[in-house]
Amino acid sequence: MAHPKRNNKWCVPSFDCEIINEPLVKRTKREVNKTIEELDKTLSNYSFTQNNFKRRKSETSLSKLLETCEPKKLSELVVSKQKQNEIFNWFQYKASNRQPSMLVLSGPSGCGKTVAIKLLAKENGFNIIEWITPIDQMEDENKHVIRQGDKFEDHVIRATRYHTVLGNCSKQLLLVKDLPNVYHEDHKGFFTLVEKYFQMGKDPVIFICTETGNSRLMQTLFAPDVREKFGIDLINVNAATQTAMKNMLKRVSGVLNSIASDMLHVSQQHIDEILSNSVGDVRSAVLNLIFISLKVPERYLKSECGVREETLGLLHGVGRVINPKKESDGDSSKFVHDPEEIAAFFQSQSVVFVQFLQENYLNTIRTIEEATVASDILSLADVLNSEWRDRNLGKVALSYCIRGLMLTNEKPVARWNPVRKPRDTHSNIRRCLVTAETQWYESIIKPCMKKTNEISITNKDEDMEIIIEED
């Protein structure tokens, strides 16, 4: 039996059991060296790829780092146990009744409001649907532009009336962190939406309101009379305490050192530095902890003079302003610490820095005259920081306040003065002003309403008498 013709190609079928004995090809020395060089190049590329793969195992994305640092259990929250119990009770007795219910969760920025709601909602078996205001214009199927308020109204009614098929929970709620800007001016439109929700909605709605210096949301859309009219609940969350911040940073430091050890290293010194500048903002504290813990090459740590740039803390900055030091410069004197450099460190938190100065400036002032001038300076800085739309005025107020206090306090009192945290009286004063304004308007409006009602009643009586006489 004749054997079939052998296949001289390099690819042999797997089902061919025939052993092919092909002669070896003799190669020259140059070809062998070329082959070795190509093999070395391939191996070097392979090792480089492996190193890259190992580096990718360490997380480098900032958003992923922040997501990993978020609390996973209720015991890891910075919100106090009392506020957690209030939110838990609202879920148990209000949100679980399959009736329209609304909650306003207010508090300063970064105090853990959103994370607390998500964990407690998961604990009570709720699936969260979050509203995010779109940046681009919205269009319908006919390419017609939809008003932002109309889209939000449609979303609220649908999300609170019909269940999503993508969730695993039998209960759901609508979370609104970013209220559409149209309702900041159109208050009546928002009240109409709330009335429609309480008529048609079934699932609960939670509004998260961040209290800032220029925020009037709580005094306009969620005023006390509005909440009483619709039965809206309010829970106010305070800023994170120093103990809660310390425990949180200790937990976060372990997480960051374990998942991002190639790019940063968090030490106890970094934690203490963040705690000294903390104002109760958890988000800001975690971001600052990540940035100051980055492993930067030594050549970037030094300036042209070979000295690392100074990092000025909040407490040290307040001390330099209320206890200014001077040095002689010929016939005159100048400040040891430049006021402009101090202001440059705190431009992002100018309002907080001015509040710290207001709380501590009297500790080092000797005379009443100096205290009077300093109080006038702080009052004007407070006016510039409040209710203005131009953000540059905050920088102007900060620079003016620092320069004014340092020039006014010519001979500061030399003693140890602990820096005190400012009291949270601004929100209470704002509420009192709003209440006084409301009462004043009611005192003017209600008598007018009573007079109109009396006139209408007398007119009706006269009509009745005329009808009786005709009969």
Side-chain angles (χ1 to χ4, degrees):
M1 184 176 177
H3 292 284
K5 187 178 180 180
R6 292 183 177 180
N7 190 359
N8 293 328
K9 296 180 180 180
W10 65 271
C11 182
V12 181
S14 60
F15 49 82
D16 193 351
C17 300
E18 206 172 16
I19 301 175
I20 301 174
N21 295 321
E22 292 185 359
L24 296 174
V25 179
K26 188 175 181 180
R27 299 183 179 182
T28 62
K29 187 175 181 180
R30 182 179 295 176
E31 292 177 345
V32 171
N33 291 335
K34 186 177 180 180
T35 305
I36 293 173
E37 289 176 1
E38 292 177 356
L39 183 61
D40 290 337
K41 188 182 294 186
T42 304
L43 290 175
S44 64
N45 291 335
Y46 177 76
S47 63
F48 178 74
T49 307
Q50 287 289 88
N51 290 334
N52 282 350
F53 177 73
K54 291 179 181 179
R55 288 175 185 173
R56 287 175 185 172
K57 295 175 75 173
S58 178
E59 190 58 61
T60 58
S61 173
L62 181 59
S63 60
K64 293 291 184 182
L65 288 177
L66 294 176
E67 183 179 351
T68 309
C69 293
E70 288 185 355
K72 304 298 185 296
K73 300 181 293 184
L74 296 179
S75 58
E76 297 176 352
L77 291 174
V78 296
V79 180
S80 64
K81 295 292 184 181
Q82 178 184 357
K83 298 300 178 181
Q84 290 185 35
N85 292 333
E86 291 182 15
I87 300 173
F88 187 85
N89 292 333
W90 183 84
F91 275 112
Q92 288 286 325
Y93 301 111
K94 291 292 186 69
S96 300
N97 295 332
R98 193 59 180 161
Q99 295 291 332
S101 55
M102 192 172 288
L103 171 68
V104 178
L105 193 67
S106 65
S109 176
C111 65
K113 302 183 294 294
T114 306
V115 179
I117 283 294
K118 290 182 178 180
L119 286 180
L120 288 167
K122 184 179 179 181
E123 187 77 13
N124 288 273
F126 278 89
N127 181 42
I128 293 180
I129 300 175
E130 185 174 350
W131 162 263
I132 300 175
T133 303
I135 299 176
D136 300 329
Q137 286 186 343
M138 295 166 287
E139 297 179 350
D140 57 7
E141 60 274 6
N142 298 324
K143 301 299 181 181
H144 294 158
V145 178
I146 307 175
R147 289 180 64 253
Q148 195 180 66
D150 296 339
K151 183 63 178 178
F152 180 71
E153 179 179 343
D154 180 69
H155 181 81
V156 169
I157 300 303
R158 288 178 179 271
T160 58
R161 188 170 178 82
Y162 308 106
H163 276 198
T164 176
V165 297
L166 302 177
N168 299 324
C169 304
S170 58
K171 298 180 289 185
Q172 70 180 18
L173 63 87
L174 176 63
L175 180 65
V176 181
K177 290 176 58 180
D178 183 18
L179 195 66
N181 293 330
V182 65
Y183 292 122
H184 289 265
E185 299 295 335
D186 186 13
H187 303 159
K188 293 182 179 179
F190 180 77
F191 299 149
T192 304
L193 168 63
V194 174
E195 289 180 356
K196 189 174 181 181
Y197 160 74
F198 277 99
Q199 292 174 1
M200 303 179 62
K202 295 181 180 179
D203 294 325
V205 179
I206 298 178
F207 290 95
I208 294 182
C209 298
T210 301
E211 293 181 356
T212 58
N214 297 329
S215 176
R216 288 186 174 181
L217 200 63
M218 293 299 299
Q219 285 78 29
T220 54
L221 300 184
F222 300 107
D225 55 342
V226 177
R227 298 199 306 268
E228 184 179 358
K229 177 181 178 182
F230 296 106
I232 301 175
D233 297 297
L234 172 65
I235 298 178
N236 188 15
V237 180
N238 300 323
T241 61
Q242 198 76 358
T243 305
M245 290 287 291
K246 184 177 181 180
N247 296 333
M248 182 275 299
L249 291 176
K250 191 173 182 181
R251 175 184 63 82
V252 167
S253 63
V255 175
L256 293 176
N257 288 332
S258 62
I259 67 172
S261 57
D262 288 353
M263 62 176 292
L264 56 84
H265 174 70
V266 183
S267 63
Q268 186 62 39
Q269 181 181 359
H270 295 149
I271 296 176
D272 295 339
E273 185 176 350
I274 296 297
L275 285 174
S276 65
N277 299 330
S278 172
V279 291
D281 191 337
V282 178
R283 188 187 304 108
S284 176
V286 175
L287 284 173
N288 291 331
L289 182 65
I290 292 174
F291 285 125
I292 69 173
S293 304
L294 290 174
K295 293 181 178 179
V296 184
E298 294 183 358
R299 62 179 181 272
Y300 297 120
L301 294 178
K302 297 181 179 180
S303 61
E304 295 179 357
C305 300
V307 181
R308 186 175 178 178
E309 294 184 358
E310 181 187 19
T311 301
L312 183 61
L314 179 63
L315 304 184
H316 293 288
V318 173
R320 290 182 180 181
V321 175
I322 64 176
N323 190 13
K325 296 181 180 179
K326 298 180 182 179
E327 60 182 2
S328 59
D329 185 15
D331 295 336
S332 61
S333 61
K334 66 176 183 179
F335 291 114
V336 176
H337 306 291
D338 188 5
E340 278 303 313
E341 292 182 359
I342 299 175
F345 278 105
F346 303 101
Q347 288 184 358
S348 60
Q349 45 182 347
S350 59
V351 177
V352 176
F353 192 79
V354 172
Q355 290 176 356
F356 267 87
L357 294 178
Q358 289 175 348
E359 186 68 25
N360 298 275
Y361 78 100
L362 288 177
N363 294 338
T364 58
I365 290 183
R366 290 183 180 272
T367 63
I368 297 178
E369 291 77 10
E370 292 179 351
T372 303
V373 176
S375 63
D376 292 339
I377 293 171
L378 290 169
S379 299
L380 182 56
D382 198 15
V383 171
L384 292 175
N385 278 327
S386 63
E387 303 301 338
W388 290 93
R389 299 300 179 186
D390 190 359
R391 296 182 179 179
N392 293 323
L393 282 176
K395 300 177 183 179
V396 173
L398 179 66
S399 178
Y400 168 74
C401 189
I402 291 175
R403 288 176 178 274
L405 289 182
M406 293 179 71
L407 288 171
T408 303
N409 198 357
E410 295 182 357
K411 295 181 180 180
V413 178
R415 64 180 181 184
W416 183 75
N417 293 303
V419 177
R420 296 192 300 269
K421 185 178 179 181
R423 303 171 186 175
D424 188 17
T425 57
H426 294 274
S427 58
N428 295 331
I429 293 173
R430 208 174 295 117
R431 293 191 189 98
C432 293
L433 290 175
V434 171
T435 305
E437 184 179 0
T438 304
Q439 292 177 355
W440 183 71
Y441 277 117
E442 287 180 352
S443 64
I444 297 175
I445 295 171
K446 285 185 177 180
C448 297
M449 293 178 63
K450 289 180 179 179
K451 290 181 180 178
T452 54
N453 292 332
E454 291 175 358
I455 292 171
S456 61
I457 292 171
T458 54
N459 291 333
K460 288 181 180 179
D461 294 339
E462 291 176 357
D463 295 338
M464 290 292 292
E465 290 176 359
I466 292 170
I467 293 170
I468 292 171
E469 289 176 358
E470 289 178 355
D471 291 342

